[in-house]
Amino acid sequence: MISKRFVAKRLLLLVPVLFGVATLVFAILQLSPGNPARVIAGQRASEEFVRQIERELGLNDPIYVQYGRFLLDAAQFDFGNSYTIQRNTPVRQILRNKLPVTLELALYGQLIGILLGIPLGIISAVKQDTITDHLTRVGALSGISIPIFWSGPLVILVFAQFFGWLPTSGRIDAQRFSIEQVTGLITVDTFVQGVDATLSSGFAVSHFAPFFSAVEHMILPAATIGIYSMALISRMMRSSMLEVTRQDYIRTARAKGQGAKITLMKHGLRNALIPVITVIGIQFGSLLGGAVLTETVFGIAGIGTLLVQAIEVGDYPVVQGTVLVFAFLFTLVNLGVDVTYSALDPRIDQ
Amino acid sequence: MACATRSTPGCATPSTDRGTIVSADEDGSQGSNRGRRERLSRIRLVGFAGAVGLALGVFGTLVVATTGADGRGASTLVFSLGALAFGFALLGWSGSVAAGRSIEATQAHLDTDTGWTESGSRRAMARIGGFGAGVMVGASVTTLLV
């Protein structure tokens, strides 16, 4: 049973965390060189025009006024309008369009990591010091060691260029299908709208052809980040499982005549999962951040790419909004991890 | 006076403190005294750091303003530096509270005790946060006055 007090305490902790992140982002952007008004006006604009933009944006106000205004707006998820990337478009709207792209990628990557990592870790622990264990460990070590900017182009080269099985980039075959964005998650949108999807030329196609196209496009990027995630999860699962299987209660269960598999899955897995869940939580956060590389390699326009662009062109509202949304998601995932802990081991919320 | 309930003054189970038996009333007043002392200690900790920060904020803004930067630039620079410290402290404090005693327990379990404690971390972060907030206030006050 999950204690409501525990969840409430964790939710309350979100407030200082987000307040701290907002303050840090504000301070860093204030300290960074460059004038946003100059960025908006352009390098050739007159000094008068730049001053006028500064006045309009409130950049002339004392710093504490700007800080207070920023905090108040951020508390309402209002980050203002983009300066340059999508001029005058509310940042909230830009994030609403881009965030699902990255979330979808991170979710599928994490799913691949969990689905492969946990069984591999268990097998590796059960068959300790056998050839299976050695192979799994080498695989896991390789997965951790190979950076995404190398594994990404490698899988493109092998599976897209050499074998021609999968597409190289993008989220869907845009030349064939036009899909209306509803949730922003392309696999969900194409699945739901499959029946209505039409070719750009107007001809109806197989109901789920757009969905299959979206899945095909998702496989390589999701696998690229999933392999990295899988490697960490399987290593942690192995060591955690090995520790649990040496505990007295496992020996007792076996002595009482319980089968090895049931003992392992019923008593061992639940306890061994606790540290693994920590890794999954932290990993999910880094997947969101690490999606920048994957998005760049596979030409996916998600929030990671948006953040890099916004930093490059000095689009402060977009940077602030993106970082705060990242922080919010990360803290939410950690909250989920904490709640899962207490569900797995009720002693944790004491 | 008959004891109707345990909450009646003087009727709760006596407890021991430093080896002597004390009544619940004494125990309660000692507890509230200790609570008050802890609160005062916390206020003193944050207050002192805040006062140092405030002085440094005022001084820093004036120094930066007199060494070339315009008033607004000086205020922005000093305020932002204070905000960096304040934001960092907020994150560190939240992290310490969220981690609880798990880091201490892990270190003890691994026999790698470094002397790091959750309460020590919270105190350090409160001090840094107080200092950062002081600098921010100092820079703002200087902007208003000068």
Side-chain angles (χ1 to χ4, degrees), chain A residues 9-10 13 16-17 19-21 23-24 26-28 30-31 54 59-64 67 243, chain B residues 72 75-77 79-81 83-84 86-88 90-91 93-94 97-99 109 136 140 143-144:
Chain A
K9 193 180 155 191
R10 292 286 164 183
L13 264 180
V17 169
F19 184 28
V21 172
T23 305
L24 273 180
F26 178 82
I28 291 169
Q30 289 298 326
L31 289 171
E54 278 182 352
L59 298 173
N60 268 339
D61 295 336
I63 183 79
Y64 56 87
Y67 177 63
E243 197 179 325
Chain B
R72 205 181 74 184
S75 162
T76 302
L77 177 68
F79 185 94
S80 304
L81 288 174
L84 269 185
F86 181 60
F88 169 76
L90 270 177
L91 286 180
W93 183 87
S94 321
V97 174
H109 178 70
M136 290 162 78
S140 306
T143 316
L144 273 174

Short mmCIF file of all heavy atoms in Angstrom, two decimals, chain A residues 9-10 13 16-17 19-21 23-24 26-28 30-31 54 59-64 67 243, chain B residues 72 75-77 79-81 83-84 86-88 90-91 93-94 97-99 109 136 140 143-144:
data_model
loop_
_atom_site.label_atom_id
_atom_site.label_comp_id
_atom_site.label_asym_id
_atom_site.label_seq_id
_atom_site.Cartn_x
_atom_site.Cartn_y
_atom_site.Cartn_z
N LYS A 9 4.56 14.26 0.37
CA LYS A 9 5.87 14.82 0.71
C LYS A 9 6.74 14.95 -0.55
O LYS A 9 7.39 15.97 -0.78
CB LYS A 9 6.53 13.91 1.74
CG LYS A 9 7.73 14.51 2.43
CD LYS A 9 8.31 13.53 3.43
CE LYS A 9 9.77 13.82 3.67
NZ LYS A 9 10.46 12.77 4.40
N ARG A 10 6.69 13.89 -1.36
CA ARG A 10 7.48 13.92 -2.60
C ARG A 10 6.98 14.98 -3.56
O ARG A 10 7.77 15.63 -4.24
CB ARG A 10 7.44 12.54 -3.28
CG ARG A 10 8.15 11.47 -2.52
CD ARG A 10 9.63 11.66 -2.65
NE ARG A 10 10.35 10.89 -1.65
CZ ARG A 10 11.66 10.90 -1.49
NH1 ARG A 10 12.40 11.66 -2.23
NH2 ARG A 10 12.23 10.18 -0.57
N LEU A 13 8.16 18.33 -2.56
CA LEU A 13 9.58 18.56 -2.88
C LEU A 13 9.78 19.06 -4.31
O LEU A 13 10.83 19.61 -4.64
CB LEU A 13 10.37 17.27 -2.69
CG LEU A 13 11.07 17.08 -1.35
CD1 LEU A 13 11.80 15.76 -1.31
CD2 LEU A 13 12.05 18.21 -1.08
N PRO A 16 10.48 23.23 -4.37
CA PRO A 16 11.83 23.82 -4.32
C PRO A 16 12.72 23.40 -5.47
O PRO A 16 13.56 24.18 -5.93
CB PRO A 16 12.39 23.32 -2.98
CG PRO A 16 11.53 22.23 -2.54
CD PRO A 16 10.20 22.43 -3.17
N VAL A 17 12.53 22.17 -5.98
CA VAL A 17 13.36 21.72 -7.10
C VAL A 17 13.10 22.60 -8.33
O VAL A 17 14.04 23.13 -8.94
CB VAL A 17 13.09 20.23 -7.45
CG1 VAL A 17 13.75 19.86 -8.76
CG2 VAL A 17 13.60 19.33 -6.34
N PHE A 19 11.68 25.53 -8.41
CA PHE A 19 12.05 26.90 -8.08
C PHE A 19 13.57 27.07 -8.26
O PHE A 19 14.04 28.05 -8.85
CB PHE A 19 11.63 27.17 -6.63
CG PHE A 19 11.86 28.58 -6.15
CD1 PHE A 19 11.86 29.65 -7.02
CD2 PHE A 19 12.06 28.82 -4.80
CE1 PHE A 19 12.06 30.94 -6.56
CE2 PHE A 19 12.27 30.10 -4.33
CZ PHE A 19 12.27 31.16 -5.21
N GLY A 20 14.32 26.08 -7.79
CA GLY A 20 15.79 26.12 -7.92
C GLY A 20 16.22 26.09 -9.38
O GLY A 20 17.08 26.89 -9.79
N VAL A 21 15.60 25.21 -10.16
CA VAL A 21 15.97 25.12 -11.58
C VAL A 21 15.64 26.42 -12.29
O VAL A 21 16.45 26.95 -13.07
CB VAL A 21 15.24 23.93 -12.26
CG1 VAL A 21 15.47 23.94 -13.76
CG2 VAL A 21 15.72 22.62 -11.69
N THR A 23 15.44 29.39 -11.05
CA THR A 23 16.38 30.43 -10.63
C THR A 23 17.73 30.26 -11.33
O THR A 23 18.32 31.23 -11.82
CB THR A 23 16.57 30.38 -9.10
OG1 THR A 23 15.29 30.49 -8.49
CG2 THR A 23 17.45 31.50 -8.60
N LEU A 24 18.19 29.01 -11.39
CA LEU A 24 19.48 28.74 -12.04
C LEU A 24 19.44 29.11 -13.52
O LEU A 24 20.36 29.75 -14.04
CB LEU A 24 19.83 27.25 -11.91
CG LEU A 24 20.58 26.83 -10.64
CD1 LEU A 24 20.85 25.34 -10.67
CD2 LEU A 24 21.90 27.58 -10.53
N PHE A 26 17.44 31.18 -15.03
CA PHE A 26 17.35 32.64 -15.17
C PHE A 26 18.73 33.27 -14.98
O PHE A 26 19.16 34.10 -15.79
CB PHE A 26 16.37 33.18 -14.12
CG PHE A 26 16.23 34.67 -14.13
CD1 PHE A 26 15.38 35.30 -15.03
CD2 PHE A 26 16.95 35.46 -13.24
CE1 PHE A 26 15.27 36.68 -15.04
CE2 PHE A 26 16.84 36.84 -13.25
CZ PHE A 26 15.99 37.45 -14.15
N ALA A 27 19.44 32.83 -13.94
CA ALA A 27 20.75 33.42 -13.64
C ALA A 27 21.74 33.15 -14.77
O ALA A 27 22.46 34.05 -15.20
CB ALA A 27 21.27 32.86 -12.32
N ILE A 28 21.76 31.90 -15.24
CA ILE A 28 22.73 31.54 -16.28
C ILE A 28 22.48 32.34 -17.56
O ILE A 28 23.40 32.85 -18.19
CB ILE A 28 22.70 30.02 -16.56
CG1 ILE A 28 23.27 29.27 -15.35
CG2 ILE A 28 23.49 29.65 -17.82
CD1 ILE A 28 23.06 27.78 -15.38
N GLN A 30 21.04 35.24 -17.76
CA GLN A 30 21.39 36.65 -17.54
C GLN A 30 22.90 36.86 -17.64
O GLN A 30 23.36 37.89 -18.09
CB GLN A 30 20.92 37.11 -16.15
CG GLN A 30 19.42 37.26 -16.02
CD GLN A 30 18.83 38.31 -16.93
OE1 GLN A 30 19.46 39.32 -17.20
NE2 GLN A 30 17.62 38.07 -17.44
N LEU A 31 23.65 35.83 -17.20
CA LEU A 31 25.11 35.95 -17.21
C LEU A 31 25.71 35.66 -18.59
O LEU A 31 26.86 36.02 -18.84
CB LEU A 31 25.72 34.99 -16.18
CG LEU A 31 25.50 35.36 -14.70
CD1 LEU A 31 25.94 34.24 -13.79
CD2 LEU A 31 26.24 36.65 -14.35
N GLU A 54 13.85 46.43 -26.37
CA GLU A 54 14.18 46.18 -24.96
C GLU A 54 13.04 46.66 -24.06
O GLU A 54 12.65 45.99 -23.11
CB GLU A 54 15.48 46.89 -24.59
CG GLU A 54 16.73 46.11 -24.98
CD GLU A 54 18.00 46.82 -24.55
OE1 GLU A 54 17.92 47.97 -24.08
OE2 GLU A 54 19.08 46.22 -24.69
N LEU A 59 13.07 44.30 -20.90
CA LEU A 59 14.47 44.01 -20.58
C LEU A 59 15.16 45.19 -19.91
O LEU A 59 16.27 45.06 -19.41
CB LEU A 59 15.23 43.61 -21.86
CG LEU A 59 14.73 42.36 -22.57
CD1 LEU A 59 15.44 42.15 -23.89
CD2 LEU A 59 14.92 41.14 -21.69
N ASN A 60 14.47 46.33 -19.92
CA ASN A 60 15.01 47.53 -19.27
C ASN A 60 14.67 47.57 -17.79
O ASN A 60 15.25 48.37 -17.05
CB ASN A 60 14.43 48.79 -19.93
CG ASN A 60 15.33 49.27 -21.04
OD1 ASN A 60 16.51 48.94 -21.05
ND2 ASN A 60 14.78 50.03 -21.96
N ASP A 61 13.71 46.75 -17.39
CA ASP A 61 13.30 46.76 -15.98
C ASP A 61 14.43 46.29 -15.09
O ASP A 61 15.32 45.56 -15.55
CB ASP A 61 12.08 45.83 -15.80
CG ASP A 61 10.87 46.33 -16.55
OD1 ASP A 61 10.82 47.55 -16.79
OD2 ASP A 61 10.01 45.52 -16.90
N PRO A 62 14.40 46.70 -13.81
CA PRO A 62 15.43 46.20 -12.90
C PRO A 62 15.40 44.67 -12.86
O PRO A 62 14.35 44.06 -13.06
CB PRO A 62 15.01 46.77 -11.55
CG PRO A 62 14.14 47.93 -11.86
CD PRO A 62 13.48 47.63 -13.17
N ILE A 63 16.57 44.10 -12.57
CA ILE A 63 16.71 42.65 -12.65
C ILE A 63 15.74 41.90 -11.72
O ILE A 63 15.20 40.87 -12.08
CB ILE A 63 18.20 42.26 -12.37
CG1 ILE A 63 18.42 40.75 -12.51
CG2 ILE A 63 18.66 42.71 -11.03
CD1 ILE A 63 18.55 40.30 -13.91
N TYR A 64 15.50 42.48 -10.52
CA TYR A 64 14.60 41.77 -9.60
C TYR A 64 13.17 41.76 -10.10
O TYR A 64 12.41 40.83 -9.85
CB TYR A 64 14.70 42.36 -8.17
CG TYR A 64 14.42 43.84 -8.08
CD1 TYR A 64 13.12 44.30 -7.91
CD2 TYR A 64 15.45 44.76 -8.16
CE1 TYR A 64 12.86 45.66 -7.83
CE2 TYR A 64 15.19 46.12 -8.07
CZ TYR A 64 13.90 46.57 -7.92
OH TYR A 64 13.64 47.90 -7.86
N TYR A 67 13.09 39.04 -12.69
CA TYR A 67 13.13 37.73 -12.02
C TYR A 67 11.74 37.36 -11.48
O TYR A 67 11.24 36.26 -11.69
CB TYR A 67 14.16 37.79 -10.89
CG TYR A 67 14.26 36.54 -10.05
CD1 TYR A 67 14.67 35.33 -10.60
CD2 TYR A 67 13.98 36.58 -8.68
CE1 TYR A 67 14.77 34.20 -9.80
CE2 TYR A 67 14.08 35.46 -7.89
CZ TYR A 67 14.48 34.27 -8.46
OH TYR A 67 14.58 33.14 -7.68
N GLU A 243 23.07 -10.72 -5.66
CA GLU A 243 23.06 -10.41 -4.23
C GLU A 243 21.83 -11.01 -3.55
O GLU A 243 21.92 -11.59 -2.47
CB GLU A 243 23.09 -8.90 -4.04
CG GLU A 243 23.50 -8.49 -2.63
CD GLU A 243 23.55 -6.98 -2.46
OE1 GLU A 243 23.92 -6.30 -3.43
OE2 GLU A 243 23.21 -6.51 -1.37
N ARG B 72 22.91 49.33 -14.13
CA ARG B 72 22.03 48.20 -14.43
C ARG B 72 22.86 46.93 -14.65
O ARG B 72 22.51 45.85 -14.18
CB ARG B 72 21.20 48.50 -15.67
CG ARG B 72 19.91 47.71 -15.71
CD ARG B 72 19.11 48.01 -16.95
NE ARG B 72 19.72 47.37 -18.11
CZ ARG B 72 19.28 47.52 -19.35
NH1 ARG B 72 18.26 48.30 -19.60
NH2 ARG B 72 19.86 46.91 -20.36
N SER B 75 24.18 45.65 -11.30
CA SER B 75 23.11 45.03 -10.52
C SER B 75 22.76 43.66 -11.10
O SER B 75 22.60 42.68 -10.37
CB SER B 75 21.89 45.95 -10.56
OG SER B 75 20.75 45.27 -10.21
N THR B 76 22.68 43.59 -12.44
CA THR B 76 22.34 42.31 -13.10
C THR B 76 23.40 41.26 -12.79
O THR B 76 23.08 40.11 -12.46
CB THR B 76 22.23 42.53 -14.62
OG1 THR B 76 21.24 43.50 -14.87
CG2 THR B 76 21.88 41.25 -15.35
N LEU B 77 24.66 41.67 -12.89
CA LEU B 77 25.76 40.72 -12.67
C LEU B 77 25.73 40.17 -11.24
O LEU B 77 25.74 38.95 -11.03
CB LEU B 77 27.10 41.41 -12.95
CG LEU B 77 28.34 40.56 -12.68
CD1 LEU B 77 28.44 39.42 -13.68
CD2 LEU B 77 29.62 41.40 -12.73
N PHE B 79 23.30 40.33 -8.94
CA PHE B 79 22.04 39.64 -8.66
C PHE B 79 22.09 38.22 -9.25
O PHE B 79 21.71 37.25 -8.59
CB PHE B 79 20.88 40.42 -9.28
CG PHE B 79 19.52 39.85 -8.96
CD1 PHE B 79 18.79 40.32 -7.87
CD2 PHE B 79 18.96 38.86 -9.75
CE1 PHE B 79 17.53 39.80 -7.59
CE2 PHE B 79 17.71 38.34 -9.47
CZ PHE B 79 16.99 38.82 -8.38
N SER B 80 22.58 38.09 -10.48
CA SER B 80 22.62 36.77 -11.13
C SER B 80 23.57 35.82 -10.41
O SER B 80 23.29 34.63 -10.29
CB SER B 80 23.04 36.92 -12.59
OG SER B 80 22.18 37.79 -13.25
N LEU B 81 24.70 36.36 -9.95
CA LEU B 81 25.64 35.50 -9.20
C LEU B 81 24.99 35.01 -7.91
O LEU B 81 25.12 33.84 -7.53
CB LEU B 81 26.94 36.27 -8.91
CG LEU B 81 27.84 36.50 -10.13
CD1 LEU B 81 29.02 37.38 -9.75
CD2 LEU B 81 28.35 35.18 -10.70
N ALA B 83 21.78 34.70 -7.49
CA ALA B 83 20.74 33.76 -7.89
C ALA B 83 21.33 32.37 -8.20
O ALA B 83 20.69 31.34 -7.93
CB ALA B 83 20.00 34.29 -9.11
N LEU B 84 22.54 32.37 -8.74
CA LEU B 84 23.22 31.08 -9.00
C LEU B 84 23.41 30.31 -7.70
O LEU B 84 23.09 29.12 -7.61
CB LEU B 84 24.59 31.32 -9.63
CG LEU B 84 24.70 31.37 -11.15
CD1 LEU B 84 26.16 31.49 -11.55
CD2 LEU B 84 24.09 30.14 -11.80
N PHE B 86 21.81 30.78 -4.87
CA PHE B 86 20.51 30.49 -4.29
C PHE B 86 19.86 29.27 -4.98
O PHE B 86 19.37 28.36 -4.31
CB PHE B 86 19.62 31.73 -4.42
CG PHE B 86 18.25 31.59 -3.85
CD1 PHE B 86 18.08 31.29 -2.50
CD2 PHE B 86 17.12 31.73 -4.64
CE1 PHE B 86 16.80 31.16 -1.96
CE2 PHE B 86 15.85 31.60 -4.11
CZ PHE B 86 15.69 31.31 -2.78
N GLY B 87 19.89 29.27 -6.32
CA GLY B 87 19.31 28.16 -7.07
C GLY B 87 20.03 26.85 -6.79
O GLY B 87 19.41 25.81 -6.59
N PHE B 88 21.36 26.93 -6.75
CA PHE B 88 22.15 25.73 -6.46
C PHE B 88 21.81 25.19 -5.07
O PHE B 88 21.63 23.97 -4.89
CB PHE B 88 23.65 26.09 -6.54
CG PHE B 88 24.56 25.03 -6.01
CD1 PHE B 88 24.83 23.89 -6.75
CD2 PHE B 88 25.14 25.15 -4.75
CE1 PHE B 88 25.67 22.91 -6.25
CE2 PHE B 88 25.98 24.17 -4.25
CZ PHE B 88 26.24 23.05 -5.00
N LEU B 90 19.04 25.64 -3.38
CA LEU B 90 17.68 25.07 -3.36
C LEU B 90 17.69 23.64 -3.89
O LEU B 90 17.07 22.75 -3.30
CB LEU B 90 16.76 25.91 -4.25
CG LEU B 90 16.03 27.08 -3.60
CD1 LEU B 90 15.23 27.82 -4.65
CD2 LEU B 90 15.08 26.57 -2.52
N LEU B 91 18.42 23.44 -4.99
CA LEU B 91 18.49 22.09 -5.56
C LEU B 91 19.21 21.14 -4.61
O LEU B 91 18.79 20.00 -4.43
CB LEU B 91 19.20 22.13 -6.92
CG LEU B 91 18.40 22.71 -8.07
CD1 LEU B 91 19.21 22.68 -9.35
CD2 LEU B 91 17.12 21.93 -8.28
N TRP B 93 19.50 21.39 -1.34
CA TRP B 93 18.67 21.15 -0.16
C TRP B 93 17.58 20.11 -0.50
O TRP B 93 17.37 19.16 0.26
CB TRP B 93 18.05 22.47 0.31
CG TRP B 93 17.25 22.34 1.55
CD1 TRP B 93 17.71 22.42 2.84
CD2 TRP B 93 15.84 22.11 1.65
NE1 TRP B 93 16.68 22.24 3.71
CE2 TRP B 93 15.52 22.04 3.02
CE3 TRP B 93 14.82 21.92 0.71
CZ2 TRP B 93 14.22 21.80 3.46
CZ3 TRP B 93 13.55 21.69 1.16
CH2 TRP B 93 13.24 21.63 2.53
N SER B 94 16.93 20.32 -1.64
CA SER B 94 15.87 19.38 -2.03
C SER B 94 16.45 17.98 -2.24
O SER B 94 15.84 16.98 -1.85
CB SER B 94 15.19 19.79 -3.34
OG SER B 94 15.03 21.15 -3.40
N VAL B 97 17.05 16.37 1.13
CA VAL B 97 15.81 15.92 1.75
C VAL B 97 15.27 14.69 1.02
O VAL B 97 14.82 13.73 1.66
CB VAL B 97 14.75 17.06 1.73
CG1 VAL B 97 13.41 16.58 2.25
CG2 VAL B 97 15.23 18.23 2.58
N ALA B 98 15.34 14.73 -0.31
CA ALA B 98 14.81 13.59 -1.08
C ALA B 98 15.62 12.33 -0.83
O ALA B 98 15.07 11.24 -0.70
CB ALA B 98 14.81 13.94 -2.57
N ALA B 99 16.93 12.49 -0.75
CA ALA B 99 17.78 11.31 -0.54
C ALA B 99 17.62 10.78 0.89
O ALA B 99 17.78 9.59 1.14
CB ALA B 99 19.24 11.67 -0.80
N HIS B 109 26.84 0.89 4.72
CA HIS B 109 26.74 -0.48 4.20
C HIS B 109 28.01 -0.87 3.44
O HIS B 109 28.49 -1.99 3.56
CB HIS B 109 25.51 -0.57 3.30
CG HIS B 109 25.32 -1.91 2.67
ND1 HIS B 109 24.95 -3.03 3.39
CD2 HIS B 109 25.46 -2.33 1.39
CE1 HIS B 109 24.87 -4.06 2.59
NE2 HIS B 109 25.18 -3.67 1.35
N MET B 136 21.22 38.60 -3.57
CA MET B 136 20.15 39.07 -4.47
C MET B 136 19.46 40.30 -3.88
O MET B 136 19.21 41.30 -4.58
CB MET B 136 19.13 37.95 -4.70
CG MET B 136 19.65 36.79 -5.55
SD MET B 136 18.66 35.30 -5.39
CE MET B 136 17.28 35.70 -6.43
N SER B 140 19.51 44.18 -5.25
CA SER B 140 18.24 44.86 -5.54
C SER B 140 18.13 46.16 -4.76
O SER B 140 17.72 47.20 -5.31
CB SER B 140 17.06 43.96 -5.18
OG SER B 140 17.18 42.72 -5.80
N THR B 143 20.27 48.79 -6.22
CA THR B 143 19.67 49.31 -7.47
C THR B 143 18.61 50.34 -7.12
O THR B 143 18.50 51.39 -7.77
CB THR B 143 19.03 48.16 -8.27
OG1 THR B 143 19.91 47.06 -8.27
CG2 THR B 143 18.71 48.57 -9.69
N LEU B 144 17.79 50.02 -6.12
CA LEU B 144 16.70 50.92 -5.73
C LEU B 144 17.24 52.24 -5.18
O LEU B 144 16.73 53.31 -5.51
CB LEU B 144 15.85 50.26 -4.66
CG LEU B 144 14.70 49.35 -5.13
CD1 LEU B 144 14.06 48.66 -3.95
CD2 LEU B 144 13.67 50.19 -5.87
#
